[in-house]
Amino acid sequence: MVTPLQDFLFKTLGDPTRRAIFERLCRQGEQTVGTITASAGVSQPAVSKHLGVLLQAGLVSDRRHGRETHYRARPEALAPLVDWTKQMAGFWDARLDDLEDLLRRMDQ
Amino acid sequence: MVTPLQDFLFKTLGDPTRRAIFERLCRQGEQTVGTITASAGVSQPAVSKHLGVLLQAGLVSDRRHGRETHYRARPEALAPLVDWTKQMAGFWDARLDDLEDLLRRMDQ
DNA sequence: CTAATCCATAACTTACAGGTTATGGGTTAA
DNA sequence: TTAACCCATAACCTGTAAGTTATGGATTAG
């Protein structure tokens, strides 16, 4: 099953700094690059790059207002990740008719 | 919010080859290293290394039987990932009834 | 007993991603 | 107009992680 979208999503969220930025935008809503930089622990260009990657993954949207750029989280973009997880659990359940599997799950 | 567990989970699943191995184990159940290697597209040592990482993340379990080692997926280990996703969506929803945020959204 | 097999580890190479500083375009403030 | 500010891009550096081949221990087969 080839899903470059999921690949990109996982890769994007795989970096702790980047995921922290996304998480912050989810928690606190829209923020400017400067505000994000202030508590990101890395330089402003680094933040801009991370935001670029998040943007490409569809995880954030941007809004230019004067010389400021505001970024906002788009949690809907996490859907493929949820789908994938459900699918993995689904395969698991589908094999539950295997007695060994069932037993192993019960004593866990 | 410091969660090294989530960090490790995301990082582990961030690699396409590794996630493909995990996905295969979810789909097809327990497999030996040799079987996995046959369709992994990388060498046997590479597969062993990936399995080691998956093991450390708790995403798989191993069972030695003679000279073979069987690996099995543990989809329960995906739970923190599901929790995190729900939390992100939760923050989003929680802010939806914040009037200020709503207004800020409306005046674009 | 010998040979073949399975897998893990070691040792090494290398590509790339994430970090930095430097810079400049566009915008607001004075 | 000039100066200060915000941010994106360019150019560069570097650590790490994913890949490779080589090897050996343990186990099974002949």
Side-chain angles (χ1 to χ4, degrees):
Chain A
M1 180 176 277
V2 181
T3 54
L5 181 72
Q6 285 169 356
D7 269 16
F8 197 49
L9 253 186
F10 271 106
K11 227 170 224 169
T12 299
L13 295 173
D15 180 74
T17 304
R18 196 154 47 217
R19 201 172 66 261
I21 292 176
F22 175 72
E23 189 167 332
R24 178 188 175 86
L25 288 176
C26 282
R27 285 179 186 273
Q28 312 191 3
E30 198 176 80
Q31 308 248 333
T32 68
V33 175
T35 307
I36 298 170
T37 299
S39 59
V42 293
S43 66
Q44 174 266 312
V47 170
S48 277
K49 265 206 275 187
H50 282 306
L51 288 170
V53 175
L54 288 168
L55 200 60
Q56 240 195 308
L59 285 164
V60 301
S61 61
D62 62 342
R63 175 173 71 86
R64 323 265 316 246
H65 187 60
R67 56 187 173 182
E68 294 180 333
T69 309
H70 299 254
Y71 283 87
R72 165 189 297 271
R74 295 187 61 252
E76 325 91 85
L78 292 175
L81 194 147
V82 175
D83 292 343
W84 180 84
T85 307
K86 282 183 183 170
Q87 215 182 359
M88 292 309 109
F91 292 139
W92 178 257
D93 290 339
R95 282 186 297 98
L96 271 189
D97 51 321
D98 177 349
L99 182 58
E100 230 181 338
D101 271 352
L102 178 60
L103 292 179
R104 184 175 288 258
R105 208 180 160 208
M106 286 174 67
D107 81 345
Q108 181 259 346
Chain B
M1 178 174 284
V2 180
T3 53
L5 181 73
Q6 285 169 357
D7 269 16
F8 197 49
L9 253 186
F10 272 106
K11 227 169 224 173
T12 299
L13 295 173
D15 179 76
T17 304
R18 197 155 45 218
R19 202 173 64 262
I21 291 176
F22 175 72
E23 189 167 333
R24 177 188 177 86
L25 288 175
C26 282
R27 286 177 185 275
Q28 312 192 5
E30 199 175 78
Q31 307 248 333
T32 68
V33 176
T35 307
I36 298 169
T37 300
S39 60
V42 294
S43 67
Q44 174 266 313
V47 169
S48 278
K49 264 205 276 187
H50 282 306
L51 288 170
V53 176
L54 288 168
L55 200 60
Q56 238 195 310
L59 285 164
V60 302
S61 61
D62 63 342
R63 175 173 71 85
R64 324 261 320 243
H65 185 60
R67 57 187 173 185
E68 294 180 332
T69 309
H70 298 254
Y71 284 88
R72 164 189 299 268
R74 295 188 61 252
E76 323 91 86
L78 293 175
L81 194 147
V82 175
D83 292 343
W84 179 84
T85 306
K86 282 182 183 168
Q87 215 182 1
M88 292 309 108
F91 292 139
W92 179 255
D93 291 339
R95 284 202 337 278
L96 269 189
D97 41 32
D98 178 349
L99 183 59
E100 226 181 340
D101 199 71
L102 180 60
L103 293 178
R104 216 189 315 157
R105 251 179 107 202
M106 287 175 66
D107 81 347
Q108 158 208 63

